[in-house]
Amino acid sequence: MEPAGFITDILIPALSQGLVVTLQLIVLSAPFGLLLGIGISLGRQYGGKNLSNICKLYVIFIKGCPLLLLLFILYFGLPSVGITLTAFAASVIGFILCNAAYNSEYIRGAILSVKDGQTIAAQALGMTKWQVIREVVLPQALRRAIPGLSNEFIYLIKYSSLAYMLTVIELSGAGKLVATKYFAYNEVFIAVGIVYLALVTFTTVAVHYLEKRVAVPGMIH
Amino acid sequence: MWSKKELPSRASGQGQDSPMKDDAFVLRVEDIHKKFGTNEVLKGVSFNVRKGETIVFIGPSGTGKSTLLRCINQLTIPEKGRVWLHDDEVTNSGPKISYFRQKIGMVFQNFYLFDHLTAVRNVEIALLKVKKMDPESARRQALYELEQVGMKGWADHYPAELSGGQAQRVSIARALAMDPEVILFDEPTSALDPELTREVLEVMKKLAKSGMTMLVVSHEMGFAASVANQIIFMENGNIVEQGPPDALLYDPAYVRTRKFVGQFADLTQRKD
Ligand SMILES: Nc1ncnc2c1ncn2[C@@H]1O[C@H](COP(=O)(O)OP(=O)(O)O)[C@@H](O)[C@H]1O
Ligand SMILES: [Mg+2]
């Protein structure tokens, strides 16, 4: 059995360190995943034929590739073509690539739901194509995409644990190490589960608040 | 159905002799052709617009009236034909089209307000982003324009909170804010019930009186009779007949025009 003070002296410090790494992974991945997702959806919707097809193929590729395989390619495969990434960097890049592909699908759907007439009215006022996108299309599309994007964010919280497979000691990994060392699987994994649950719950509440803040009368999300 | 040769002389518009240089005209539209696939929607439409004039376009639906308006500000690119604002060519103007679109306002049947912006933001957004006005001046002007259309009290409401008539008045304010030389109205009251139609027509009448140059696609014959300087009857992508309301509504030269106009006389009689 675990020694006295196991929770305070061993479990909490270990999980805290892991949590910091998990948060780093998320905080670095999510913004770029969102930006790249917006870029891909715009490329697909407004880009020329080539760009549009590239974006489409990219999404198909990511959807068809298990994330773990993508991480292995980035970490173990790329060095053979002269690109060596740290385990942490490979994880973040993998998460961004994956997160962006799915985000782009939600955003594209939301772009399609913005009424065409508003685009025409904006052009009729003299806005350039880019101004129409920035001032009229995206503000509405992103609002509508919030539920989908927040789902992806929640997935990201959970699949960030795959970084452990590249030796990044994030929350799950830290738990696994402690659990194995002290032979306390149930206690440790329940504790780890509670932390993930807290992260997801916090996200859900934050998204709810965000949705309320940006809500516009009559604009159904 | 009506080839150009069959048109009566007044249908070809004024100033045909010197179409290239005549500053009496704010807008000149010359020989506009537009096809969608094999569907020939505009078959060579020409007319000129004097400063301060209100021209009302009537004609059966599917005749190309909306397409014509959209060709004027190049939301639709015609295959052939040219449009001038004063002496500047609007067609083939490249990136300068943004300038022309500021000068040629447009109001749509379904308002097309920006759903995510309040009334005042709807009016000021293009002032900020297109005209690059500073925020205070833009806000001041947006509120002024809303006041002109009787919507200042609704400045902070979103489109979804406005009635159709109110939304349309905001969209007129939005067009006015750009300080246009001409405003194109594409069936501005067709989506509104009679009471709301009246409030929008009031605003348009006031605008016409103030000297705004307006092209209006509308089947509000009362408005056409009392406000229009010219009425243009279109059918099948051609101008059939053009003239002042007295002539065109009460003494048209063509049977087609008489039939079309008669339809409306019938309707109003039945209503009364
Ligand atoms: N973007 C488009 N693509 C294909 N056909 C169109 C398009 N816009 C209009 N049309 C066709 O052009 C014709 C004229 O339409 P429109 O200009 O809207 O007529 P009106 O405004 O007089 O009712 C119609 O047959 C319509 O179906
Ligand atoms: Mg129409």
Side-chain angles (χ1 to χ4, degrees):
Chain A
M1 281 275 38
E2 60 267 28
F6 170 72
I7 290 179
T8 49
D9 298 344
I10 294 160
L11 185 61
I12 289 179
L15 294 193
S16 299
Q17 275 184 5
L19 176 61
V20 168
V21 177
T22 289
L23 290 176
Q24 284 172 340
L25 289 168
I26 294 168
V27 165
L28 284 172
S29 304
F32 293 104
L34 178 61
L35 285 179
L36 185 59
I38 292 172
I40 292 165
S41 61
L42 292 180
R44 210 166 149 187
Q45 196 57 29
Y46 299 104
K49 210 175 162 194
N50 286 337
L51 181 59
S52 180
N53 281 335
I54 290 171
C55 294
K56 203 153 111 191
L57 280 176
Y58 173 78
V59 173
I60 291 173
F61 170 76
I62 295 292
K63 274 184 170 176
C65 177
L67 177 54
L68 188 57
L69 188 62
L70 178 64
L71 293 178
F72 283 166
I73 292 169
L74 288 168
Y75 188 53
F76 299 113
L78 285 186
S80 68
V81 292
I83 303 172
T84 306
L85 299 168
T86 65
F88 185 83
S91 303
V92 168
I93 291 170
F95 297 156
I96 290 171
L97 294 178
C98 176
N99 188 242
Y102 288 97
N103 282 346
S104 79
E105 291 283 87
Y106 289 112
I107 297 167
R108 197 174 78 93
I111 286 175
L112 291 173
S113 79
V114 177
K115 288 177 218 109
D116 241 10
Q118 295 184 53
T119 311
I120 292 167
Q123 282 176 296
L125 287 166
M127 286 194 198
T128 61
K129 192 173 166 180
W130 177 238
Q131 285 174 326
V132 175
I133 291 170
R134 207 178 44 202
E135 306 299 335
V136 177
V137 177
L138 276 183
Q140 295 185 41
L142 289 176
R143 279 182 172 86
R144 292 213 174 93
I146 288 175
L149 295 175
S150 69
N151 260 339
E152 278 312 308
F153 186 83
I154 286 169
Y155 283 132
L156 169 64
I157 292 173
K158 292 182 286 185
Y159 64 58
S160 68
S161 60
L162 286 176
Y164 180 54
M165 302 304 284
L166 304 190
T167 71
V168 177
I169 309 301
E170 42 62 70
L171 181 57
S172 301
K176 168 90 183 331
L177 293 180
V178 177
T180 315
K181 190 167 171 192
Y182 295 93
F183 207 70
Y185 294 104
N186 288 340
E187 296 89 328
V188 173
F189 289 147
I190 285 169
V192 169
I194 287 170
V195 178
Y196 278 112
L197 186 64
L199 287 178
V200 170
T201 306
F202 174 78
T203 302
T204 308
V205 172
V207 167
H208 181 74
Y209 176 76
L210 175 72
E211 265 187 300
K212 266 193 157 164
R213 253 202 69 157
V214 301
V216 165
M219 259 195 67
I220 319 285
H221 298 310
Chain B
M1 205 174 174
W2 297 90
S3 76
K4 267 178 88 185
K5 284 174 212 114
E6 285 175 321
L7 298 177
S9 59
R10 66 181 175 203
S12 47
Q14 315 97 322
Q16 282 292 333
D17 333 13
S18 56
M20 298 301 288
K21 270 259 177 227
D22 188 341
D23 214 36
F25 294 126
V26 177
L27 192 75
R28 284 171 292 142
V29 173
E30 190 187 281
D31 198 29
I32 295 291
H33 288 256
K34 180 64 196 177
K35 272 187 217 160
F36 291 109
T38 56
N39 182 11
E40 207 179 345
V41 173
L42 295 173
K43 302 170 182 169
V45 174
S46 307
F47 61 91
N48 295 321
V49 188
R50 289 181 193 281
K51 189 166 167 50
E53 211 173 24
T54 295
I55 300 186
V56 171
F57 291 78
I58 59 174
S61 96
T63 281
K65 305 181 297 297
S66 298
T67 306
L68 177 61
L69 291 193
R70 283 167 180 234
C71 282
I72 291 172
N73 64 359
Q74 301 285 287
L75 289 174
T76 296
I77 310 291
E79 277 96 44
K80 189 169 168 245
R82 305 214 253 177
V83 176
W84 280 273
L85 185 71
H86 297 294
D87 286 330
D88 301 321
E89 190 179 341
V90 177
T91 33
N92 310 307
S93 55
K96 216 192 156 193
I97 191 60
S98 168
Y99 165 78
F100 288 118
R101 285 177 178 159
Q102 294 171 51
K103 288 286 153 199
I104 305 173
M106 191 157 194
V107 171
F108 303 86
Q109 178 175 346
N110 295 312
F111 337 126
Y112 296 154
L113 291 181
F114 307 128
D115 286 340
H116 64 301
L117 300 177
T118 58
V120 68
R121 294 277 301 144
N122 259 277
V123 178
E124 77 180 3
I125 185 82
L127 294 176
L128 295 167
K129 304 300 169 180
V130 180
K131 288 205 157 180
K132 316 279 184 206
M133 220 180 239
D134 69 89
E136 279 117 87
S137 318
R139 178 56 56 104
R140 207 177 315 120
Q141 185 167 347
L143 288 172
Y144 171 79
E145 304 296 353
L146 284 175
E147 197 172 11
Q148 294 304 298
V149 299
M151 286 298 293
K152 194 176 176 183
W154 293 81
D156 295 324
H157 288 260
Y158 286 89
E161 301 169 321
L162 305 178
S163 74
Q166 292 174 324
Q168 191 60 296
R169 286 188 281 150
V170 171
S171 97
I172 292 172
R174 180 175 69 177
L176 280 173
M178 303 308 281
D179 191 24
E181 299 213 29
V182 187
I183 303 185
L184 316 174
F185 293 83
D186 192 0
E187 305 214 30
T189 61
S190 297
L192 306 176
D193 54 41
E195 199 172 324
L196 302 180
T197 295
R198 210 169 312 131
E199 67 184 52
V200 171
L201 290 181
E202 280 310 312
V203 167
M204 290 173 63
K205 262 181 211 169
K206 196 177 109 186
L207 204 54
K209 264 193 205 135
S210 78
M212 178 55 73
T213 312
M214 307 181 2
L215 305 190
V216 185
V217 175
S218 174
H219 293 129
E220 291 295 331
M221 292 303 173
F223 174 82
S226 63
V227 180
N229 304 91
Q230 300 271 325
I231 297 181
I232 292 182
F233 173 55
M234 281 182 71
E235 193 178 55
N236 290 329
N238 283 311
I239 292 179
V240 175
E241 190 167 351
Q242 169 176 2
D246 281 348
L248 199 125
L249 295 180
Y250 304 112
D251 184 21
Y254 281 85
V255 179
R256 294 297 310 154
T257 317
R258 194 167 306 149
K259 268 194 178 163
F260 185 79
V261 173
Q263 229 179 316
F264 287 90
D266 255 339
L267 277 176
T268 46
Q269 267 168 20
R270 252 180 253 148
K271 244 192 234 161
D272 295 341

